Amino acid sequence: MSTSRVLLIDDEEEMRRSSAQALELYGLNVVTFPTADSVLELVGYGFDGVVVSDIRMPGMDGMTLLQRIREMDAELPVILVTGHADVQLAVNAMRAGVYDFVEKPFAAQHLAAIIRRAQDRRSLVLENRRLRAVAGKRDDIEARLPGRTQVMVDLRYRLRAIGASDADTLVIGDTGAGKEVVARAMHDISARAGKPFIAINCAALPENLIESELFGHEAGAFPGALRPRYGKFEHGRGGTILLDEIGSMPFDLQAKFLRVLQERVITRLGSNEPVPLDVRFIATSKVDLEREVAAGRFRADLLYRLNVATLHVPSLAQRQADIPLLFLQLVREAAARYGRSDMEVAPRVVTEIAGRNWPGNVRELRNAADRLVLGLDPHPGETTEASQRLADKVAAYERGLIAGALAAHGGSLRPVYEMLGISRKTLYEKMQKHGLDKSVHIDTEDRDI
């Protein structure tokens, strides 16, 4: 059976099951879904597979799914299936970039042949991307945003694509996940790299001076304004403005900022003269802005205007396999920062680190690395939830133990199963159970041959 996955979406259970069984007879690896929403969590820039979807479904239909997937990766093949002979629908699908269009009832052999061709095309696309990545070697973006899990590979691909453009961007992620790192990386790879990068914490601006801070003022605009002053927006002309935690921006100021986004002009307090503004805006948020819109705390039109392009920065919980290597890198950086010689980290410590929860994400993990380098306890407080089930705790500990051992031994399996006192077969089974891939833990300069 092919390892390339076929994601099959159809809201009719009988049709979904029979189609999957028929395609599996042709050696295809089929995963079925009753709705389209959950599929978006699986596909991405590095997804090795094909999507086959019915068009007419409740909720998200096939055409909407096609558009959402093409926003993530325009070269990911999507095959649409319909039971309605609709020529115009087929034309619209082709214009939207569908790989192929199949009408029910269809012969399984015919659909399987289309899927095979789509898989071959996808494999070629991914191979070309890998060759380009190898030719470029490890770049600055990977050094800033390390990680070999798929979510981090996808993030770096999207960052490079969006960063090189001039599009305003919304960066979403939990506290400490690295949103500002992403924003700075986007600025540095853009044509604006030689111009200012101005970071503004929307939650820390003094409410009585916020307009003056952003837009500037003329002399006499308010008591104490003795001379003209540029605002932060003007200081960033030609460069990038980072609006950190934009969800904290006061509601009445959001309308004025929306005008800046739309017209790219500002007016200083106490003046009637518009000042042209050549900047790129990047906004970050740790809260769900759509929920804030529903609650009346954030303007819907501002969200839509900001959301030209979106980057989601994964939490450590979403990239747990990266924790061992990331921690070792943070230890090396901390040692250099504190003037200490490179220190060896015991496999036991890496294992403990990998098995813990990190609600503060990379920021909290960096603090642990600093404490270790300074000779302190890297994790003085317990971060795991007391309410976690025993079985979950055991599974998390076992996964962390194996992941830590793999990282400590550079992905080499023999010392891992010997250290853990298990057979090679048992190690393979447990790696498969916990979704661990030894290639994720192999150093680029120390791969098994």
Side-chain angles (χ1 to χ4, degrees), residues 13 15 38 48 88-89 93 154 215 217 247 318 322 413 417:
E13 182 178 356
M15 186 68 187
S38 53
D48 180 17
Q88 187 58 48
L89 190 62
D154 290 346
F215 301 111
H217 62 256
Q318 295 171 299
D322 284 335
L413 297 183
Y417 63 73

Side-chain angles (χ1 to χ4, degrees), residues 19 38 134 175 234 246 306 400 418:
S19 297
S38 53
V134 170
T175 298
E234 277 192 86
I246 194 169
L306 266 177
E418 288 179 348

Side-chain angles (χ1 to χ4, degrees), residues 62 84 117 154 251 305:
H84 306 269
R117 291 195 297 272
D154 290 346
F251 193 82
R305 184 61 184 81

Side-chain angles (χ1 to χ4, degrees), residues 8 67-68 72 75 90-91 96 110 125 138 147 182 215 230 246 263 287 293 310 327 359 370 402 413 432 444:
L8 176 66
Q67 293 166 359
R68 295 284 298 276
M72 292 187 283
E75 295 181 288
V91 170
H110 174 60
V125 166
R138 184 181 174 92
V182 168
F215 301 111
Y230 279 173
I246 194 169
E263 301 178 15
V287 299
V293 168
T310 304
F327 180 70
D370 285 8
I402 296 172
L413 297 183
Q432 187 174 17
T444 52

Side-chain angles (χ1 to χ4, degrees), residues 72-306:
M72 292 187 283
D73 185 356
E75 295 181 288
L76 202 163
V78 178
I79 301 166
L80 293 180
V81 181
T82 181
H84 306 269
D86 190 334
V87 175
Q88 187 58 48
L89 190 62
V91 170
N92 292 341
M94 291 298 180
R95 286 176 177 170
V98 72
Y99 179 80
D100 210 333
F101 189 88
V102 180
E103 185 179 344
K104 296 178 184 177
F106 55 81
Q109 183 178 4
H110 174 60
L111 179 57
I114 294 174
I115 292 173
R116 289 287 189 200
R117 291 195 297 272
Q119 286 177 329
D120 290 343
R121 175 174 168 179
R122 183 60 175 171
S123 296
L124 183 61
V125 166
L126 293 180
E127 182 60 20
N128 286 339
R129 289 175 182 173
R130 280 191 288 267
L131 290 173
R132 287 198 297 268
V134 170
K137 298 186 179 179
R138 184 181 174 92
D139 62 10
D140 183 57
I141 300 301
E142 188 170 355
R144 296 190 200 192
L145 296 165
R148 297 171 191 168
T149 51
Q150 193 59 56
V151 288
M152 288 305 294
V153 172
D154 290 346
L155 173 63
R156 291 193 295 266
Y157 272 124
R158 286 181 60 79
L159 189 154
R160 292 185 184 101
I162 297 171
S165 72
D166 215 23
D168 294 331
T169 306
L170 181 61
V171 182
I172 299 173
D174 292 346
T175 298
K179 298 187 292 296
E180 185 169 345
V181 175
V182 168
R184 286 185 178 273
M186 291 179 67
H187 170 74
D188 289 344
I189 66 174
S190 73
R192 299 179 180 271
K195 300 294 184 178
F197 178 88
I198 307 295
I200 302 170
N201 187 340
C202 295
L205 287 170
E207 190 169 347
N208 59 330
L209 295 175
I210 190 168
E211 288 191 51
S212 173
E213 286 288 317
L214 297 182
F215 301 111
H217 62 256
E218 298 291 349
F222 52 86
L226 302 179
R227 52 182 173 271
R229 180 178 182 272
Y230 279 173
K232 291 184 180 294
F233 285 171
E234 277 192 86
H235 274 297
R237 280 184 297 185
T240 302
I241 302 288
L242 169 63
L243 295 165
D244 195 21
E245 298 306 338
I246 194 169
S248 302
M249 180 177 284
F251 193 82
D252 57 349
L253 183 64
Q254 292 175 22
K256 296 180 180 179
F257 176 57
L258 176 61
R259 179 172 176 268
V260 175
L261 274 176
Q262 291 173 332
E263 301 178 15
R264 287 308 200 265
V265 296
I266 61 169
T267 304
R268 299 178 195 147
L269 291 180
S271 172
N272 293 319
E273 294 297 322
V275 178
L277 193 64
D278 173 25
V279 298
R280 178 194 196 173
F281 286 101
I282 300 177
T284 72
S285 178
K286 65 183 176 184
V287 299
D288 185 341
L289 292 181
E290 290 187 357
R291 190 175 299 167
E292 294 295 290
V293 168
R297 292 188 291 266
F298 200 82
R299 293 180 62 101
D301 48 3
L302 177 55
L303 174 59
Y304 300 145
R305 184 61 184 81
L306 266 177

